[in-house]
Amino acid sequence: MSSASYFQSHFSSSDCGSTKIPVEHLDYDYIEKCKDSKYLEKILLLLRSGKEGIYPHLINFCENRLEKLNPHSRALRKEIPVATSASLPADEWSNIEDDLRNWQNETKMTETSLKRQLIMEDVVDQNMPPVRGSNCSVPLSWNSDRQQKRIQPRDYREWDKFDVEKECQKIDGDVSRNDKPAIKSSNLKTKLDSSALTTEVRQRLAEREKDKGNDAFRANDYEEAIAYYSRSISIMPTVVAYNNRAQAEIKLKQWQRAMDDCLSVLELEPCNVKALLRRASVHSELGDFEKAVEDLTLVMRQEPQNVTATQLLSETTKKMTEARQGKAKKGRKIIIHEEEEDNFEQPAPDQTDCPVEPSQPVGGDWYSSAPADRGDMGNAQKRPHGKGDGAPHNESSNSHHGHWRGKGGTSDKYKLPQEPKEKVANGIAKRGSTVSAQADQVSSSSKETPPGTNIGEPVNLDAPCGALPLSLSRLKNEGNLLFKNGQFGDALEKYSQAIQGYSDAGIDSPDDLCILYSNRAACYLKDGNSQDCIQDCTQALELQPFCLKPLLRRAMAYESLERYRKAYVDYKTVLQIDVSVQAAHDSVNRITRLLIEQDGADWREKLPDIPLVPLSAQQHRREEPPSTEVLQARAEKAAKDAERKAEARFADFKQDGNEFVKKGQYQDALGKYSDCLKIKPDECAIYTNRALCYLKLERFSEAKQDCDAALKLEPGNKKAFYRRALANKGLKDYLACSTDLQEVLQQDPNVQEAEKELEEVTILLKQSLATESPAKSRKIIPVTEVEGDQKTPTVAKSDSCLKEELGNNFQPNNAYEFGQALNNACSSGNMAACADMLASTAPELLPQFLSTQLNGQTISFIVKVLDTHLLEKDPNLVYKHLCHLHNADRFSVVLMLLEKDDRRHVSQLFEHLSSVESTEFTKNDVQNLANKYI
């Protein structure tokens, strides 16, 4: 460990946690005045860490100050990077190269001299092997003995077939046979009584028993492990205990018990990966391969990189294929059952092989799921690439392949339905045979689907591909289908045949030939043949310069061969064509770091020239008009942003206004609330708040207008009624003020401020009514009577005429006539005439006729007339008059000013009315109506 690393690790573990450095100490003046070298070391470490920011000049200043105080401080020691050719002078590096070259020459000369020497007898006696490549003679007996004892070297093909997992399992098997269980589990109880224990104690005890089972499982004593897991489950059933017991039962080949435990786990946790894996193992051992594939498919959907599931899926697929091949060779068997009593149908021989749904992923073909689950095949813009990524072109749509499959076309089958409406079992794909056979079946089908669709759907392999003839189009579509199924070797042959056929046919279509070369390059890339991939991509780019996919695949191939400069150039060219390719961005960043380490700071000078891409080939510059959906989405986003900004401004203005009100700055608050209403003109609370400001500033008219606006938005707003009452009081409209205050008290009788204001306003109202003139001048309105064709002007009826007509069922035509007649009846006490007038007046017109004559005396007189003269004759009419009378203007104020005797007459009227039996109203109706009068 270097001195700087030692100091940093030692200091960070010992001092950094105990001392906190304030930000104010990270200053030039403080560092210059500080004389504590230890504390300066802590400041220097904090500055170097970058937690408070990166300040190179301040770090240098701190180092210089620390060097003056303590020149031998460990904090001043810096790591010396490993020397490279870029960090050394040219002369020194040339000397190093000369020394290495001399050493290499000397080594070769020494080896050559050793080869020329003869092997002596004493050397042979010591069983020394000959120098490799020497021409010396060796005794035949010795050479034969050595050849028998020596282990022959293995070639690379044999190493490729070497199965590491299998050898490790053999070693584990040898160890397991030698190990002996430490404890006998015959005396263990599998169930424990924990009913008297608390939940916490039971949980702890179940965990302890599970841990004992884990120890026994590691010791390969599976019976004891099952016993401990059973004890844990009896105490408290858990998913982990069931899973572990299922694994131990699988080790003992207790398949049914393992199946039960897996089902118990899936009841508790439906998508548990371990339970699905173990149930798939059991299904596979029991020969139910289809169910095993279903479970493994569910696992792969949750964890696509699960190695265990991938391996088990491959093994299960292989077993299922072998089983179907065996059935096909043996043929069908016809089983004859002898029926004695009951007659029942036997399954048809065609149904013995369980067919597979076309949409079901079978035989390890995880890539046969939906395209959204697989990712776009070869579409570099969609996802970052891995080593050997790439896929063939397709004119109609992008094809898909499984991202978890290994390289090479090693898949044994792919999926194509034989008939569009029947379930078909997958066959074995052989080179050039099965694809064509199934293509015939698909092409004869009535339902055709273009290439690039899901594997379980019918595929039309005769779909046209550009200017290629039918035979070459078929080869290309077959290659696309094989690539999509992971059979890269077979797809490569199809593309090669199509390219050869293209040259033989003499077609002139560079674009189609470019696609074929690019697709074959993708197969080479998948098989790890980077050199051939580069050649095909180069040929494709000669046919169609600046084509995106060949460039990207050639860059991947260069990167896999560690030819980073050329890969960098291709990736930068890709980004010139389409700047949105994320895989190219990631690769450029990664290769840049490698080139800096390799070539030093002047690494750009050693790069080949990066070609300039013309504007016509730059895809990101081809601006197409946005679609309707895009425009709509942009408009919605802009509206949401504007709404969010307006909401934030509204909240700020409202908060500022509230703060100004608390401080008594009502004029400033008025401006803030006005700004709020510009943003949200329908906010009731802002109107009431601004009305308060107007009241404080004695601008009563504006306050009343704001309260009216608030009541339009919320008709029952209590604050708006109360503040409008204060505004009406300021405007000396005591009657309207009293009405608003009564509305407030009706909503909430506990508002003491409203009660006090009502008492004060009532006094002011009585005073104002007393000072008003009791009588007003009466105007005579000219009336024109028409008789026949002549018109003679007359005058309005006088009071004497009205008095004469009162006894003759007088029917008023307007509020003036009704008021004159009512005043005459009240002054003369003629209840009978008033009763006749009320009997001839429609109840719904009564509030309109009383609008100018309503006072306490009039209300009292009408109540007496209704009680004494009309109640016995027509109680329904009395009820109707009372239903409309309280709707007259200022009725609530006039009712409040009634004397005690008048109130008693009102109560007496409702008592008499409630005792009357009628079909038009009930006692409850009368009681509800009385609440508005009493």
Side-chain angles (χ1 to χ4, degrees):
M1 180 184 294
S2 63
S3 302
S5 301
Y6 171 79
F7 171 77
Q8 185 174 1
S9 61
H10 178 71
F11 177 77
S12 61
S13 61
S14 59
D15 299 332
C16 188
S18 60
T19 305
K20 294 183 179 179
I21 299 174
V23 181
E24 295 80 10
H25 292 180
L26 306 179
D27 185 66
Y28 287 94
D29 295 334
Y30 182 83
I31 293 174
E32 187 176 7
K33 295 176 183 178
C34 182
K35 297 181 180 180
D36 187 1
S37 61
K38 294 293 185 183
Y39 192 72
L40 277 179
E41 289 177 353
K42 299 175 182 177
I43 294 176
L44 181 58
L45 180 63
L46 180 60
L47 289 173
R48 287 175 177 172
S49 66
K51 294 181 179 178
E52 300 296 337
I54 300 175
Y55 309 98
H57 298 290
L58 184 59
I59 293 173
N60 294 333
F61 183 82
C62 185
E63 289 175 353
N64 296 333
R65 177 62 179 165
L66 180 59
E67 187 176 6
K68 293 179 181 179
L69 295 177
N70 185 10
H72 303 289
S73 174
R74 285 182 176 272
L76 297 175
R77 301 178 184 179
K78 298 182 179 179
E79 263 186 355
I80 301 176
V82 178
T84 61
S85 60
S87 61
L88 295 175
D91 298 338
E92 187 175 353
W93 183 253
S94 64
N95 293 334
I96 294 173
E97 286 183 340
D98 292 339
D99 293 340
L100 290 173
R101 197 177 296 110
N102 293 334
W103 173 82
Q104 186 178 8
N105 294 333
E106 291 176 0
T107 305
K108 289 182 178 180
M109 292 175 61
T110 305
E111 185 178 0
T112 304
S113 62
L114 289 174
K115 289 180 179 179
R116 291 175 181 175
Q117 291 179 4
L118 295 176
I119 297 179
M120 308 302 293
E121 295 295 336
D122 54 351
V123 177
V124 176
D125 294 338
Q126 293 177 5
N127 294 329
M128 292 294 292
V131 178
R132 182 171 46 190
S134 63
N135 297 322
C136 61
S137 59
V138 182
L140 183 59
S141 59
W142 180 85
N143 193 12
S144 61
D145 294 338
R146 291 296 297 173
Q147 288 181 358
Q148 291 177 1
K149 294 180 180 179
R150 286 183 60 190
I151 300 175
Q152 295 296 327
R154 297 182 174 181
D155 58 357
Y156 288 106
R157 289 175 294 179
E158 188 174 355
W159 279 110
D160 291 337
K161 299 177 182 178
F162 184 76
D163 191 352
V164 180
E165 297 292 336
K166 188 174 181 181
E167 297 298 328
C168 292
Q169 290 178 2
K170 288 182 180 179
I171 297 173
D172 295 339
D174 295 338
V175 174
S176 63
R177 284 193 295 271
N178 295 330
D179 291 339
K180 294 182 179 180
I183 304 173
K184 296 295 183 181
S185 59
S186 58
N187 297 328
L188 284 176
K189 294 181 180 180
T190 58
K191 292 185 180 181
L192 296 177
D193 186 11
S194 60
S195 58
L197 302 177
T198 62
T199 305
E200 184 178 358
V201 175
R202 290 171 58 196
Q203 185 176 1
R204 194 181 304 118
L205 185 58
E207 188 70 21
R208 187 181 304 167
E209 295 294 328
K210 179 181 69 66
D211 293 339
K212 292 180 182 179
N214 293 343
D215 294 338
F217 189 92
R218 295 189 193 98
N220 299 319
D221 191 352
Y222 304 121
E223 293 182 358
E224 182 182 355
I226 291 174
Y228 281 119
Y229 291 142
S230 301
R231 289 159 66 92
S232 176
I233 292 170
S234 66
I235 298 169
M236 180 177 287
T238 58
V239 170
V240 178
Y242 277 121
N243 260 332
N244 293 358
R245 190 170 72 174
Q247 183 64 23
E249 288 165 348
I250 289 174
K251 291 291 184 181
L252 295 177
K253 298 183 179 181
Q254 299 176 0
W255 310 119
Q256 191 57 45
R257 293 183 180 180
M259 177 69 70
D260 295 339
D261 283 344
C262 292
L263 293 176
S264 300
V265 173
L266 293 174
E267 288 179 1
L268 297 174
E269 191 175 324
C271 294
N272 188 276
V273 174
K274 289 187 177 180
L276 290 172
L277 276 174
R278 286 162 191 172
R279 189 172 70 172
S281 301
V282 176
H283 281 314
S284 179
E285 292 294 338
L286 295 177
D288 198 351
F289 303 117
E290 286 81 4
K291 293 183 178 179
V293 169
E294 291 178 3
D295 289 342
L296 293 172
T297 303
L298 293 176
V299 174
M300 294 297 294
R301 286 179 183 172
Q302 299 182 47
E303 298 180 3
Q305 305 300 330
N306 193 312
V307 180
T308 306
T310 303
Q311 182 179 0
L312 186 57
L313 187 59
S314 177
E315 294 175 358
T316 307
T317 304
K318 187 176 180 181
K319 292 180 181 178
M320 184 167 60
T321 304
E322 293 175 354
R324 288 180 177 173
Q325 286 180 349
K327 289 183 179 180
K329 290 179 180 179
K330 293 180 181 179
R332 299 175 180 175
K333 295 182 179 180
I334 301 176
I335 303 175
I336 301 175
H337 294 271
E338 294 183 1
E339 301 179 6
E340 295 181 356
E341 296 178 358
D342 300 331
N343 294 324
F344 58 91
E345 294 183 357
Q346 294 294 335
D350 294 337
Q351 299 175 358
T352 55
D353 292 338
C354 299
V356 182
E357 292 288 343
S359 61
Q360 178 186 356
V362 203
D365 288 340
W366 170 245
Y367 48 80
S368 63
S369 59
D373 298 333
R374 297 189 300 271
D376 249 356
M377 168 179 150
N379 195 350
Q381 292 92 328
K382 299 295 183 181
R383 58 181 174 83
H385 77 281
K387 184 175 180 181
D389 193 12
H393 287 69
N394 201 320
E395 291 84 5
S396 59
S397 62
N398 291 333
S399 55
H400 301 272
H401 69 325
H403 54 77
W404 61 273
R405 301 182 65 84
K407 65 182 182 178
T410 57
S411 177
D412 289 338
K413 61 185 182 177
Y414 62 96
K415 196 169 183 182
L416 276 176
Q418 294 178 355
E419 294 182 5
K421 296 184 179 180
E422 295 181 2
K423 301 179 180 179
V424 183
N426 289 349
I428 303 172
K430 298 182 181 179
R431 293 180 182 266
S433 59
T434 309
V435 174
S436 302
Q438 293 186 349
D440 295 336
Q441 296 174 1
V442 174
S443 59
S444 62
S445 168
S446 60
K447 182 179 179 180
E448 295 185 353
T449 307
T453 54
N454 291 342
I455 296 172
E457 299 177 359
V459 179
N460 182 15
L461 297 179
D462 293 329
C465 298
L468 296 178
L470 182 60
S471 58
L472 300 184
S473 298
R474 186 179 183 86
L475 288 172
K476 180 185 174 184
N477 290 332
E478 290 176 357
N480 292 347
L481 182 61
L482 291 167
F483 190 99
K484 181 169 57 177
N485 293 337
Q487 299 172 260
F488 308 119
D490 296 341
L492 190 146
E493 289 186 3
K494 294 296 180 181
Y495 293 136
S496 300
Q497 293 175 15
I499 293 171
Q500 183 64 34
Y502 179 94
S503 60
D504 296 340
I507 308 169
D508 185 14
S509 178
D511 293 342
D512 293 327
L513 185 58
C514 173
I515 293 174
L516 290 174
Y517 276 120
S518 179
N519 290 0
R520 192 171 71 173
C523 298
Y524 282 133
L525 193 62
K526 286 294 183 181
D527 281 337
N529 190 349
S530 301
Q531 194 61 44
D532 290 339
C533 174
I534 293 171
Q535 293 180 4
D536 275 2
C537 290
T538 304
Q539 292 186 6
L541 291 171
E542 290 176 357
L543 294 167
Q544 190 176 357
F546 305 112
C547 185
L548 185 64
K549 284 190 176 182
L551 268 174
L552 189 59
R553 288 164 187 161
R554 190 173 70 175
M556 296 175 189
Y558 278 138
E559 186 179 0
S560 65
L561 294 176
E562 299 183 1
R563 298 161 69 176
Y564 297 120
R565 296 189 184 96
K566 292 187 176 181
Y568 182 87
V569 170
D570 280 349
Y571 280 129
K572 293 296 284 185
T573 309
V574 167
L575 291 178
Q576 290 185 64
I577 298 172
D578 191 353
V579 74
S580 64
V581 181
Q582 186 61 37
H585 283 290
D586 298 339
S587 299
V588 166
N589 295 333
R590 180 173 60 255
I591 293 175
T592 301
R593 292 193 295 268
L594 295 173
L595 290 176
I596 291 174
E597 294 177 0
Q598 177 180 335
D599 300 333
D602 55 347
W603 62 276
R604 293 182 184 274
E605 300 176 0
K606 301 180 181 180
L607 288 174
D609 294 335
I610 300 176
L612 293 177
V613 178
L615 294 178
S616 59
Q618 297 181 14
Q619 296 181 7
H620 60 276
R621 294 184 180 272
R622 300 174 188 170
E623 296 183 358
E624 298 180 356
S627 61
T628 306
E629 293 77 6
V630 173
L631 292 175
Q632 185 177 0
R634 290 178 182 175
E636 292 178 357
K637 184 178 183 300
K640 289 181 181 179
D641 293 341
E643 184 180 356
R644 183 171 62 254
K645 292 179 182 178
E647 190 69 30
R649 291 175 54 215
F650 176 83
D652 293 339
F653 288 146
K654 183 179 180 182
Q655 185 177 2
D656 294 341
N658 295 341
E659 293 294 333
F660 284 135
V661 169
K662 292 178 183 178
K663 296 176 182 178
Q665 301 175 2
Y666 301 108
Q667 188 64 40
D668 296 334
L670 199 64
K672 294 297 180 181
Y673 290 137
S674 299
D675 292 337
C676 288
L677 290 176
K678 291 178 183 178
I679 299 173
K680 287 187 177 182
D682 296 335
E683 193 70 22
C684 180
I686 303 301
Y687 282 110
T688 56
N689 290 358
R690 194 171 72 168
L692 176 62
C693 297
Y694 281 133
L695 289 174
K696 294 295 183 181
L697 297 173
E698 296 184 354
R699 297 166 60 177
F700 301 112
S701 298
E702 291 89 337
K704 183 178 180 182
Q705 290 177 2
D706 278 357
C707 293
D708 291 339
L711 290 172
K712 286 181 180 179
L713 297 172
E714 292 184 14
N717 190 286
K718 185 168 59 178
K719 285 186 178 180
F721 277 118
Y722 180 72
R723 289 172 185 171
R724 190 174 72 173
L726 296 180
N728 287 326
K729 181 181 177 183
L731 295 172
K732 296 184 179 180
D733 190 356
Y734 303 119
L735 188 60
C737 176
S738 176
T739 304
D740 289 339
L741 291 173
Q742 290 182 31
E743 184 67 28
V744 173
L745 292 174
Q746 185 176 359
Q747 293 184 18
D748 188 359
N750 298 324
V751 182
Q752 298 180 359
E753 294 84 355
E755 291 182 357
K756 293 179 182 179
E757 290 290 340
L758 185 59
E759 292 177 359
E760 183 180 350
V761 169
T762 302
I763 296 173
L764 295 173
L765 181 62
K766 289 181 179 180
Q767 292 176 358
S768 64
L769 292 176
T771 56
E772 289 180 356
S773 58
K776 297 181 180 179
S777 60
R778 297 171 183 170
K779 297 180 180 179
I780 298 176
I781 303 174
V783 180
T784 302
E785 295 181 357
V786 180
E787 293 181 359
D789 295 333
Q790 297 181 354
K791 300 179 180 179
T792 57
T794 60
V795 298
K797 299 178 182 178
S798 63
D799 294 346
S800 59
C801 295
L802 289 173
K803 289 181 181 179
E804 292 177 358
E805 290 182 357
L806 284 176
N808 299 326
N809 294 330
F810 174 69
Q811 295 182 359
N813 296 320
N814 50 48
Y816 175 75
E817 293 181 0
F818 185 87
Q820 292 295 323
L822 184 61
N823 287 335
N824 292 332
C826 289
S827 60
S828 62
N830 191 351
M831 293 187 180
C834 183
D836 294 338
M837 184 179 63
L838 291 174
S840 60
T841 302
E844 57 271 11
L845 297 177
L846 188 62
Q848 179 182 354
F849 289 166
L850 287 173
S851 59
T852 59
Q853 302 294 329
L854 194 63
N855 54 44
Q857 183 181 2
T858 304
I859 292 294
S860 177
F861 184 73
I862 290 175
V863 167
K864 291 179 182 178
V865 170
L866 293 176
D867 188 19
T868 57
H869 289 74
L870 286 180
L871 185 62
E872 293 182 359
K873 296 180 181 179
D874 193 354
N876 294 332
L877 181 63
V878 173
Y879 178 76
K880 292 179 181 179
H881 276 307
L882 292 175
C883 287
H884 291 85
L885 179 60
H886 67 86
N887 294 325
D889 294 340
R890 301 189 303 279
F891 177 81
S892 58
V893 178
V894 174
L895 189 66
M896 179 182 62
L897 299 176
L898 290 177
E899 301 294 338
K900 290 185 179 179
D901 292 340
D902 297 334
R903 292 178 181 276
R904 182 174 55 81
H905 285 303
V906 173
S907 302
Q908 185 177 359
L909 170 62
F910 279 100
E911 289 178 358
H912 295 162
L913 185 61
S914 62
S915 61
V916 175
E917 294 182 358
S918 174
T919 57
E920 296 187 7
F921 60 88
T922 61
K923 292 183 178 181
N924 291 333
D925 297 336
V926 175
Q927 185 63 35
N928 294 333
L929 185 61
N931 292 334
K932 298 179 181 180
Y933 286 85
I934 302 173

